[in-house]
Amino acid sequence: MGFGGRGGGRGGRGSGGRGGGSGGGRGNPGAQPRLQLCRNFASGNCTRGDKCSFAHVVKMHAVTEASDKNPDAKTNYNRGYSGQNTKSKDKHKVTSVSVWETNGQIKLFTGAHDGKWRLWNAAPAANGSVTLTQEFEHFVGGPVDTVHIAAHYFFCGFEASPIECPDAKAGMVHSWNLNAPSEPPMELWMGPMAKYAGSGRIRSLWTTADGSVFSGGSDGIIRQWAFNPT
Protein backbone atom coordinates (compact mmCIF):
# COMPACT_ATOMS: atom_id res chain seq x y z
CA MET A 1 0.00 0.00 0.00
CA GLY A 2 1.32 3.46 -0.95
CA PHE A 3 0.44 7.01 0.07
CA GLY A 4 -0.04 8.45 -3.43
CA GLY A 5 2.88 10.84 -3.25
CA ARG A 6 4.50 9.46 -6.40
CA GLY A 7 1.46 8.11 -8.15
CA GLY A 8 2.01 4.47 -7.27
CA GLY A 9 5.68 4.15 -8.15
CA ARG A 10 8.16 5.35 -10.74
CA GLY A 11 6.49 3.69 -13.73
CA GLY A 12 4.65 6.82 -14.87
CA ARG A 13 7.39 9.26 -15.70
CA GLY A 14 6.01 9.94 -19.16
CA SER A 15 3.23 12.51 -18.78
CA GLY A 16 3.28 13.98 -15.32
CA GLY A 17 6.79 13.92 -13.97
CA ARG A 18 7.36 11.32 -11.30
CA GLY A 19 3.76 11.32 -10.26
CA GLY A 20 2.47 9.15 -13.10
CA GLY A 21 0.12 11.74 -14.61
CA SER A 22 -1.80 14.38 -12.67
CA GLY A 23 -2.13 12.35 -9.52
CA GLY A 24 -0.27 14.73 -7.25
CA GLY A 25 3.33 14.15 -8.34
CA ARG A 26 5.98 16.69 -9.09
CA GLY A 27 4.45 17.44 -12.48
CA ASN A 28 1.54 19.18 -10.71
CA PRO A 29 2.97 20.87 -7.64
CA GLY A 30 -0.23 22.80 -6.96
CA ALA A 31 -1.97 19.55 -6.03
CA GLN A 32 0.55 18.68 -3.35
CA PRO A 33 -0.21 19.52 0.29
CA ARG A 34 1.84 22.41 1.60
CA LEU A 35 3.55 20.75 4.52
CA GLN A 36 6.53 23.05 5.01
CA LEU A 37 5.84 26.29 6.87
CA CYS A 38 6.46 29.63 5.19
CA ARG A 39 8.99 31.51 7.29
CA ASN A 40 8.24 34.80 5.56
CA PHE A 41 4.53 34.49 6.37
CA ALA A 42 5.35 33.66 9.99
CA SER A 43 7.22 36.96 10.27
CA GLY A 44 4.54 38.85 8.29
CA ASN A 45 6.70 39.40 5.18
CA CYS A 46 5.42 36.97 2.52
CA THR A 47 4.29 38.71 -0.66
CA ARG A 48 3.35 35.68 -2.76
CA GLY A 49 -0.08 35.12 -1.27
CA ASP A 50 -1.92 32.08 -2.74
CA LYS A 51 0.96 31.51 -5.17
CA CYS A 52 3.34 30.68 -2.33
CA SER A 53 4.52 27.06 -2.32
CA PHE A 54 4.70 26.94 1.48
CA ALA A 55 2.00 26.69 4.13
CA HIS A 56 0.50 29.89 5.58
CA VAL A 57 -0.66 28.52 8.93
CA VAL A 58 1.50 30.22 11.56
CA LYS A 59 1.98 33.97 11.85
CA MET A 60 3.94 35.90 14.45
CA HIS A 61 1.88 38.76 15.93
CA ALA A 62 4.28 40.42 18.34
CA VAL A 63 7.84 40.46 19.65
CA THR A 64 8.75 41.31 23.24
CA GLU A 65 12.20 41.68 24.76
CA ALA A 66 12.13 39.44 27.84
CA SER A 67 15.74 39.40 29.02
CA ASP A 68 18.56 41.73 29.92
CA LYS A 69 21.60 42.39 27.78
CA ASN A 70 24.36 39.81 28.18
CA PRO A 71 27.67 41.67 28.60
CA ASP A 72 29.61 38.47 27.90
CA ALA A 73 27.85 37.74 24.61
CA LYS A 74 30.18 37.14 21.68
CA THR A 75 29.42 38.27 18.17
CA ASN A 76 27.49 35.48 16.49
CA TYR A 77 26.19 35.30 12.97
CA ASN A 78 23.36 33.01 11.91
CA ARG A 79 22.49 32.33 8.31
CA GLY A 80 18.84 33.13 7.82
CA TYR A 81 16.36 31.62 5.39
CA SER A 82 17.05 34.29 2.79
CA GLY A 83 20.72 33.40 2.75
CA GLN A 84 21.74 36.68 4.37
CA ASN A 85 23.85 36.87 7.50
CA THR A 86 21.95 38.37 10.42
CA LYS A 87 23.55 39.26 13.71
CA SER A 88 21.90 37.59 16.70
CA LYS A 89 20.85 39.82 19.55
CA ASP A 90 23.24 39.76 22.48
CA LYS A 91 20.57 38.98 25.05
CA HIS A 92 20.50 36.28 27.70
CA LYS A 93 18.43 33.28 26.65
CA VAL A 94 14.74 33.16 27.55
CA THR A 95 14.38 29.53 28.56
CA SER A 96 10.79 28.97 29.63
CA VAL A 97 7.26 30.39 29.46
CA SER A 98 4.24 29.43 31.57
CA VAL A 99 0.66 30.71 31.19
CA TRP A 100 -1.34 31.77 34.25
CA GLU A 101 -5.10 32.28 33.91
CA THR A 102 -6.41 34.32 36.84
CA ASN A 103 -9.65 36.25 37.35
CA GLY A 104 -10.44 36.24 33.65
CA GLN A 105 -6.98 37.53 32.72
CA ILE A 106 -4.08 35.87 30.96
CA LYS A 107 -0.63 36.43 32.44
CA LEU A 108 2.73 34.96 31.54
CA PHE A 109 5.69 33.94 33.63
CA THR A 110 9.05 33.79 31.84
CA GLY A 111 12.49 32.67 32.96
CA ALA A 112 15.83 33.70 31.49
CA HIS A 113 19.52 33.07 31.92
CA ASP A 114 19.97 36.59 33.26
CA GLY A 115 18.83 35.11 36.60
CA LYS A 116 15.35 36.62 36.59
CA TRP A 117 11.80 35.41 36.29
CA ARG A 118 9.29 37.93 35.06
CA LEU A 119 5.52 38.34 35.24
CA TRP A 120 3.71 39.79 32.23
CA ASN A 121 0.15 40.94 31.66
CA ALA A 122 -1.23 39.83 28.28
CA ALA A 123 -3.82 42.36 27.13
CA PRO A 124 -5.81 41.56 23.93
CA ALA A 125 -5.08 43.82 20.96
CA ALA A 126 -7.34 44.76 18.06
CA ASN A 127 -5.59 42.57 15.48
CA GLY A 128 -6.02 39.38 17.50
CA SER A 129 -2.60 39.57 19.11
CA VAL A 130 -1.74 40.51 22.68
CA THR A 131 0.26 43.33 24.20
CA LEU A 132 2.67 42.14 26.87
CA THR A 133 3.41 44.52 29.73
CA GLN A 134 5.89 43.56 32.42
CA GLU A 135 4.40 43.75 35.90
CA PHE A 136 7.19 42.34 38.04
CA GLU A 137 10.62 40.73 37.95
CA HIS A 138 12.62 38.85 40.56
CA PHE A 139 16.31 37.95 40.62
CA VAL A 140 16.91 34.44 41.99
CA GLY A 141 20.71 34.45 41.87
CA GLY A 142 21.45 32.24 38.90
CA PRO A 143 20.27 31.22 35.41
CA VAL A 144 16.59 30.26 35.28
CA ASP A 145 16.03 27.04 33.31
CA THR A 146 12.32 26.38 33.76
CA VAL A 147 9.12 27.92 35.14
CA HIS A 148 5.80 26.23 35.86
CA ILE A 149 2.34 27.11 37.22
CA ALA A 150 0.24 24.73 39.35
CA ALA A 151 -3.01 25.99 40.89
CA HIS A 152 -1.96 29.28 42.50
CA TYR A 153 1.68 28.28 42.94
CA PHE A 154 4.53 29.40 40.73
CA PHE A 155 7.59 27.13 40.47
CA CYS A 156 11.00 28.26 39.29
CA GLY A 157 13.99 26.00 38.60
CA PHE A 158 17.38 27.71 38.52
CA GLU A 159 21.08 27.21 39.18
CA ALA A 160 22.70 28.72 42.26
CA SER A 161 25.17 28.01 45.05
CA PRO A 162 23.89 26.09 48.09
CA ILE A 163 24.32 27.87 51.42
CA GLU A 164 26.42 25.05 52.85
CA CYS A 165 28.71 24.97 49.78
CA PRO A 166 29.04 28.47 48.31
CA ASP A 167 31.78 27.47 45.86
CA ALA A 168 29.62 24.85 44.12
CA LYS A 169 26.58 25.03 41.86
CA ALA A 170 23.37 23.01 42.13
CA GLY A 171 19.80 22.94 40.88
CA MET A 172 17.29 24.89 42.96
CA VAL A 173 13.49 24.91 42.90
CA HIS A 174 11.56 27.68 44.64
CA SER A 175 7.78 27.99 44.68
CA TRP A 176 5.75 31.11 45.45
CA ASN A 177 2.16 31.17 46.67
CA LEU A 178 0.54 33.63 44.26
CA ASN A 179 -2.24 34.29 46.75
CA ALA A 180 0.39 35.55 49.19
CA PRO A 181 3.29 36.69 46.98
CA SER A 182 5.06 38.63 49.73
CA GLU A 183 5.72 35.45 51.71
CA PRO A 184 9.08 33.67 51.31
CA PRO A 185 9.05 30.92 48.70
CA MET A 186 8.86 27.23 49.46
CA GLU A 187 12.10 25.41 48.61
CA LEU A 188 12.57 21.83 47.46
CA TRP A 189 15.45 20.20 49.33
CA MET A 190 16.99 16.78 48.92
CA GLY A 191 17.66 16.76 52.67
CA PRO A 192 18.53 18.92 55.70
CA MET A 193 22.19 18.87 54.72
CA ALA A 194 21.49 19.13 50.99
CA LYS A 195 19.40 22.25 50.56
CA TYR A 196 18.99 21.98 46.82
CA ALA A 197 16.72 20.07 44.41
CA GLY A 198 19.40 18.31 42.38
CA SER A 199 23.12 18.05 41.84
CA GLY A 200 22.55 19.18 38.24
CA ARG A 201 20.50 22.01 36.81
CA ILE A 202 16.71 21.57 36.91
CA ARG A 203 15.63 21.51 33.28
CA SER A 204 11.91 20.70 33.62
CA LEU A 205 9.10 20.72 36.16
CA TRP A 206 5.63 19.23 36.11
CA THR A 207 2.83 18.75 38.64
CA THR A 208 -0.17 16.45 38.93
CA ALA A 209 -3.60 16.92 40.46
CA ASP A 210 -2.81 14.51 43.29
CA GLY A 211 -0.04 16.76 44.62
CA SER A 212 3.09 15.37 43.01
CA VAL A 213 5.90 17.48 41.62
CA PHE A 214 8.32 15.94 39.12
CA SER A 215 11.67 17.54 38.36
CA GLY A 216 14.10 16.53 35.64
CA GLY A 217 17.73 17.52 35.93
CA SER A 218 20.91 17.62 33.90
CA ASP A 219 22.28 14.97 36.29
CA GLY A 220 20.05 12.46 34.45
CA ILE A 221 17.63 11.96 37.36
CA ILE A 222 13.86 12.48 37.66
CA ARG A 223 12.74 13.23 41.20
CA GLN A 224 9.23 13.11 42.64
CA TRP A 225 8.18 15.49 45.41
CA ALA A 226 5.03 15.77 47.53
CA PHE A 227 3.02 18.97 47.06
CA ASN A 228 -0.14 20.16 48.77
CA PRO A 229 -1.58 23.17 46.85
CA THR A 230 -3.72 24.67 49.62
Side-chain angles (χ1 to χ4, degrees):
M1 181 179 70
F3 292 93
R6 292 192 174 183
R10 293 193 175 184
R13 282 189 165 185
S15 60
R18 288 189 174 182
S22 59
R26 292 187 182 181
N28 187 11
Q32 290 182 337
R34 299 174 183 180
L35 301 180
Q36 186 173 348
L37 298 181
C38 177
R39 300 184 185 181
N40 290 330
F41 179 80
S43 60
N45 296 319
C46 184
T47 59
R48 296 185 60 83
D50 293 338
K51 295 181 181 180
C52 184
S53 300
F54 301 98
H56 287 190
V57 294
V58 177
K59 187 173 183 179
M60 181 173 60
H61 280 291
V63 176
T64 301
E65 297 286 352
S67 178
D68 289 338
K69 182 179 177 65
N70 182 2
D72 298 323
K74 297 180 180 179
T75 301
N76 181 27
Y77 291 90
N78 295 324
R79 185 166 296 277
Y81 174 70
S82 63
Q84 301 294 324
N85 286 332
T86 57
K87 184 178 179 180
S88 63
K89 295 182 178 179
D90 52 350
K91 297 280 187 176
H92 287 276
K93 293 180 180 178
V94 176
T95 56
S96 188
V97 178
S98 188
V99 179
W100 180 33
E101 299 184 42
T102 174
N103 299 323
Q105 294 182 307
I106 301 295
K107 297 180 183 290
L108 300 180
F109 282 95
T110 61
H113 276 180
D114 60 2
K116 298 177 182 178
W117 59 257
R118 293 171 172 86
L119 174 63
W120 307 80
N121 180 51
N127 62 352
S129 65
V130 296
T131 300
L132 294 180
T133 304
Q134 183 175 313
E135 295 185 351
F136 187 77
E137 68 179 22
H138 179 70
F139 181 68
V140 294
V144 176
D145 288 310
T146 183
V147 294
H148 179 69
I149 291 288
H152 53 272
Y153 280 86
F154 167 66
F155 290 82
C156 178
F158 61 98
E159 182 187 49
S161 298
I163 297 176
E164 63 274 14
C165 191
D167 295 330
K169 300 289 186 181
M172 307 289 190
V173 176
H174 288 187
S175 177
W176 285 262
N177 182 350
L178 297 176
N179 288 341
S182 61
E183 295 182 357
M186 174 183 67
E187 302 181 23
L188 301 188
W189 291 350
M190 295 180 60
M193 300 302 294
K195 297 180 180 179
Y196 47 85
S199 57
R201 296 171 71 160
I202 304 300
R203 298 295 191 180
S204 60
L205 290 166
W206 195 252
T207 54
T208 62
D210 64 0
S212 293
V213 179
F214 294 90
S215 64
S218 60
D219 55 4
I221 298 176
I222 296 175
R223 294 176 174 86
Q224 182 179 1
W225 313 79
F227 172 58
N228 184 19
T230 57

Coordinates of all heavy atoms in Angstrom, one line a residue, residues 175-223:
S175 N 9.2 27.9 45.1 CA 7.8 28.0 44.7 C 7.1 29.1 45.5 O 7.2 29.1 46.7 CB 7.1 26.6 44.9 OG 5.7 26.8 44.6
W176 N 6.4 30.0 44.8 CA 5.8 31.1 45.5 C 4.2 30.9 45.4 O 3.7 30.4 44.4 CB 6.0 32.4 44.7 CG 7.4 33.0 45.0 CD1 7.7 34.0 45.9 CD2 8.6 32.6 44.3 NE1 9.1 34.2 45.8 CE2 9.7 33.4 44.9 CE3 9.0 31.7 43.3 CZ2 11.0 33.4 44.5 CZ3 10.3 31.6 42.9 CH2 11.3 32.4 43.5
N177 N 3.6 31.2 46.6 CA 2.2 31.2 46.7 C 1.6 32.5 46.1 O 1.8 33.6 46.6 CB 1.7 31.0 48.1 CG 0.2 30.9 48.3 OD1 -0.5 31.2 47.3 ND2 -0.2 30.6 49.5
L178 N 1.0 32.4 44.9 CA 0.5 33.6 44.3 C -0.6 34.3 45.0 O -0.9 35.5 44.7 CB 0.1 33.3 42.8 CG 1.3 32.7 42.0 CD1 0.7 32.4 40.6 CD2 2.4 33.7 41.8
N179 N -1.2 33.6 45.9 CA -2.2 34.3 46.8 C -1.6 35.1 47.9 O -2.3 35.9 48.6 CB -3.2 33.3 47.3 CG -4.2 32.7 46.2 OD1 -4.3 33.3 45.2 ND2 -4.8 31.6 46.5
A180 N -0.3 34.8 48.2 CA 0.4 35.6 49.2 C 1.8 35.8 48.7 O 2.8 35.2 49.2 CB 0.4 34.8 50.5
P181 N 2.0 36.6 47.6 CA 3.3 36.7 47.0 C 4.4 37.3 47.8 O 5.6 37.2 47.5 CB 3.0 37.6 45.8 CG 1.7 38.3 46.1 CD 0.9 37.4 47.0
S182 N 4.0 38.0 48.9 CA 5.1 38.6 49.7 C 5.7 37.6 50.7 O 6.8 37.9 51.3 CB 4.5 39.8 50.5 OG 3.4 39.3 51.4
E183 N 5.1 36.5 50.8 CA 5.7 35.4 51.7 C 6.9 34.8 51.1 O 7.1 34.8 49.8 CB 4.7 34.4 52.0 CG 3.5 34.9 52.8 CD 2.5 33.7 53.1 OE1 2.8 32.6 52.7 OE2 1.5 34.0 53.8
P184 N 7.9 34.3 51.9 CA 9.1 33.7 51.3 C 8.7 32.4 50.5 O 7.7 31.8 50.8 CB 9.9 33.3 52.6 CG 9.4 34.2 53.6 CD 8.0 34.5 53.3
P185 N 9.4 32.1 49.5 CA 9.1 30.9 48.7 C 9.3 29.6 49.4 O 10.2 29.5 50.3 CB 9.9 31.1 47.5 CG 11.2 31.8 48.0 CD 10.6 32.7 49.0
M186 N 8.6 28.6 49.0 CA 8.9 27.2 49.5 C 10.0 26.7 48.6 O 10.2 27.0 47.5 CB 7.6 26.3 49.2 CG 7.8 24.9 49.5 SD 6.3 23.9 49.1 CE 6.3 24.1 47.3
E187 N 10.9 25.9 49.3 CA 12.1 25.4 48.6 C 12.1 23.9 48.6 O 11.7 23.3 49.6 CB 13.4 25.9 49.3 CG 13.5 27.4 49.3 CD 14.8 27.9 49.9 OE1 15.8 27.1 49.9 OE2 14.8 29.1 50.4
L188 N 12.5 23.3 47.5 CA 12.6 21.8 47.5 C 14.0 21.4 47.8 O 14.9 21.9 47.1 CB 12.2 21.3 46.1 CG 10.8 21.7 45.5 CD1 10.5 20.9 44.2 CD2 9.7 21.3 46.6
W189 N 14.1 20.6 48.9 CA 15.4 20.2 49.3 C 15.6 18.7 49.2 O 14.6 18.0 49.5 CB 15.7 20.6 50.8 CG 15.8 22.1 51.0 CD1 16.0 23.0 50.1 CD2 15.8 22.7 52.3 NE1 16.1 24.3 50.7 CE2 16.0 24.1 52.1 CE3 15.7 22.3 53.6 CZ2 16.1 25.0 53.1 CZ3 15.8 23.2 54.7 CH2 16.0 24.6 54.4
M190 N 16.7 18.2 48.9 CA 17.0 16.8 48.9 C 17.2 16.3 50.3 O 16.9 15.1 50.6 CB 18.2 16.5 48.1 CG 18.1 16.8 46.6 SD 19.6 16.4 45.7 CE 19.8 14.6 45.9
G191 N 17.5 17.1 51.3 CA 17.7 16.8 52.7 C 18.1 17.9 53.5 O 18.5 19.0 52.9
P192 N 18.1 17.8 54.8 CA 18.5 18.9 55.7 C 19.9 19.4 55.4 O 20.2 20.6 55.6 CB 18.4 18.3 57.1 CG 17.4 17.2 57.0 CD 17.7 16.6 55.6
M193 N 20.8 18.5 55.0 CA 22.2 18.9 54.7 C 22.4 19.1 53.2 O 23.6 19.3 52.8 CB 23.1 17.8 55.3 CG 23.0 17.6 56.8 SD 23.4 19.2 57.7 CE 25.1 19.4 57.3
A194 N 21.4 18.9 52.4 CA 21.5 19.1 51.0 C 20.3 20.0 50.6 O 19.3 19.5 50.1 CB 21.5 17.8 50.3
K195 N 20.5 21.3 50.8 CA 19.4 22.2 50.6 C 19.4 22.7 49.1 O 19.5 23.9 48.8 CB 19.5 23.4 51.5 CG 19.4 23.0 53.0 CD 19.6 24.2 53.9 CE 19.4 23.8 55.4 NZ 19.6 24.9 56.3
Y196 N 19.1 21.7 48.3 CA 19.0 22.0 46.8 C 18.1 20.9 46.2 O 17.9 19.8 46.9 CB 20.3 22.1 46.1 CG 21.3 21.0 46.5 CD1 21.3 19.8 45.8 CD2 22.3 21.2 47.5 CE1 22.2 18.8 46.1 CE2 23.2 20.2 47.8 CZ 23.2 19.0 47.1 OH 24.0 18.0 47.5
A197 N 17.7 21.0 45.0 CA 16.7 20.1 44.4 C 17.4 19.1 43.5 O 16.8 18.1 43.0 CB 15.6 20.8 43.6
G198 N 18.7 19.2 43.2 CA 19.4 18.3 42.4 C 20.8 18.7 42.2 O 21.2 19.9 42.3
S199 N 21.7 17.7 42.0 CA 23.1 18.0 41.8 C 23.4 18.7 40.5 O 24.4 19.3 40.3 CB 24.0 16.8 42.0 OG 23.5 15.8 41.0
G200 N 22.5 18.5 39.5 CA 22.6 19.2 38.2 C 21.5 20.2 38.1 O 20.6 20.4 39.0
R201 N 21.5 21.0 37.0 CA 20.5 22.0 36.8 C 19.1 21.4 36.6 O 19.0 20.3 35.9 CB 20.9 22.9 35.6 CG 22.2 23.6 35.9 CD 22.8 24.3 34.7 NE 22.0 25.5 34.3 CZ 22.5 26.4 33.5 NH1 23.7 26.4 33.1 NH2 21.7 27.5 33.2
I202 N 18.1 22.1 37.1 CA 16.7 21.6 36.9 C 16.2 22.1 35.6 O 15.9 23.3 35.4 CB 15.8 22.1 38.1 CG1 16.4 21.6 39.4 CG2 14.4 21.5 37.9 CD1 16.6 20.1 39.6
R203 N 16.0 21.1 34.6 CA 15.6 21.5 33.3 C 14.1 21.5 33.0 O 13.6 22.2 32.1 CB 16.3 20.5 32.3 CG 17.8 20.6 32.3 CD 18.4 21.9 31.9 NE 19.8 21.8 31.7 CZ 20.6 22.9 31.3 NH1 20.0 24.0 31.1 NH2 21.9 22.7 31.1
S204 N 13.4 20.8 33.8 CA 11.9 20.7 33.6 C 11.2 20.4 34.9 O 11.7 19.8 35.8 CB 11.6 19.6 32.6 OG 12.0 18.3 33.0
L205 N 10.0 20.9 35.0 CA 9.1 20.7 36.2 C 7.7 20.4 35.7 O 7.2 21.0 34.7 CB 9.1 22.0 37.0 CG 10.3 22.3 37.8 CD1 10.2 23.8 38.3 CD2 10.5 21.4 39.0
W206 N 7.0 19.5 36.4 CA 5.6 19.2 36.1 C 4.9 18.8 37.4 O 5.5 18.3 38.3 CB 5.5 18.1 35.1 CG 4.1 18.1 34.5 CD1 3.2 17.1 34.7 CD2 3.5 19.0 33.6 NE1 2.0 17.4 34.0 CE2 2.2 18.6 33.3 CE3 4.0 20.2 33.0 CZ2 1.3 19.3 32.5 CZ3 3.1 20.9 32.2 CH2 1.8 20.5 32.0
T207 N 3.6 19.1 37.5 CA 2.8 18.8 38.6 C 1.6 18.0 38.2 O 1.1 18.1 37.1 CB 2.4 20.0 39.4 OG1 1.7 20.9 38.5 CG2 3.6 20.8 40.0
T208 N 1.1 17.2 39.2 CA -0.2 16.5 38.9 C -1.2 16.9 39.9 O -0.9 17.5 40.9 CB 0.1 14.9 39.1 OG1 0.5 14.7 40.4 CG2 1.2 14.5 38.1
A209 N -2.5 16.5 39.6 CA -3.6 16.9 40.5 C -3.6 16.3 41.8 O -4.1 16.8 42.8 CB -4.9 16.6 39.8
D210 N -2.9 15.2 42.0 CA -2.8 14.5 43.3 C -1.7 15.1 44.2 O -1.5 14.6 45.3 CB -2.6 13.0 43.1 CG -1.3 12.6 42.5 OD1 -0.5 13.5 42.1 OD2 -1.1 11.4 42.3
G211 N -1.0 16.1 43.8 CA 0.0 16.8 44.6 C 1.4 16.3 44.4 O 2.2 16.5 45.3
S212 N 1.7 15.8 43.3 CA 3.1 15.4 43.0 C 3.8 16.4 42.1 O 3.2 17.0 41.3 CB 3.1 14.0 42.3 OG 2.7 13.0 43.1
V213 N 5.0 16.6 42.4 CA 5.9 17.5 41.6 C 7.0 16.6 41.1 O 7.7 15.9 41.8 CB 6.5 18.6 42.4 CG1 7.4 19.5 41.6 CG2 5.4 19.5 43.0
F214 N 7.2 16.7 39.8 CA 8.3 15.9 39.1 C 9.3 16.9 38.6 O 9.0 17.9 37.9 CB 7.8 15.1 38.0 CG 6.9 13.9 38.4 CD1 5.5 14.1 38.6 CD2 7.4 12.7 38.8 CE1 4.7 13.1 39.0 CE2 6.6 11.7 39.2 CZ 5.3 11.9 39.3
S215 N 10.6 16.7 38.9 CA 11.7 17.5 38.4 C 12.6 16.7 37.6 O 13.0 15.6 38.0 CB 12.4 18.3 39.5 OG 13.0 17.3 40.4
G216 N 13.1 17.2 36.5 CA 14.1 16.5 35.6 C 15.4 17.4 35.6 O 15.3 18.6 35.3
G217 N 16.5 16.7 35.8 CA 17.7 17.5 35.9 C 18.8 17.1 34.9 O 18.7 16.0 34.3
S218 N 19.8 17.9 34.8 CA 20.9 17.6 33.9 C 21.8 16.5 34.5 O 22.7 16.1 33.8 CB 21.7 18.9 33.6 OG 22.3 19.4 34.8
D219 N 21.5 16.1 35.7 CA 22.3 15.0 36.3 C 21.7 13.6 35.9 O 22.1 12.6 36.3 CB 22.3 15.1 37.8 CG 20.9 15.2 38.4 OD1 19.9 15.1 37.7 OD2 20.8 15.3 39.7
G220 N 20.7 13.7 35.0 CA 20.1 12.5 34.5 C 19.0 11.8 35.4 O 18.7 10.6 35.2
I221 N 18.5 12.5 36.4 CA 17.6 12.0 37.4 C 16.3 12.7 37.4 O 16.2 13.9 37.3 CB 18.3 12.0 38.8 CG1 19.6 11.2 38.8 CG2 17.3 11.5 39.8 CD1 20.3 11.3 40.1
I222 N 15.2 11.9 37.4 CA 13.9 12.5 37.7 C 13.5 12.3 39.1 O 13.6 11.2 39.6 CB 12.8 11.8 36.8 CG1 13.1 12.0 35.3 CG2 11.4 12.3 37.1 CD1 12.2 11.3 34.3
R223 N 13.1 13.3 39.8 CA 12.7 13.2 41.2 C 11.3 13.6 41.4 O 10.7 14.4 40.7 CB 13.6 14.2 42.0 CG 15.1 13.8 42.0 CD 15.9 14.8 42.8 NE 17.3 14.4 42.9 CZ 18.2 14.6 42.0 NH1 17.9 15.2 40.9 NH2 19.5 14.1 42.2

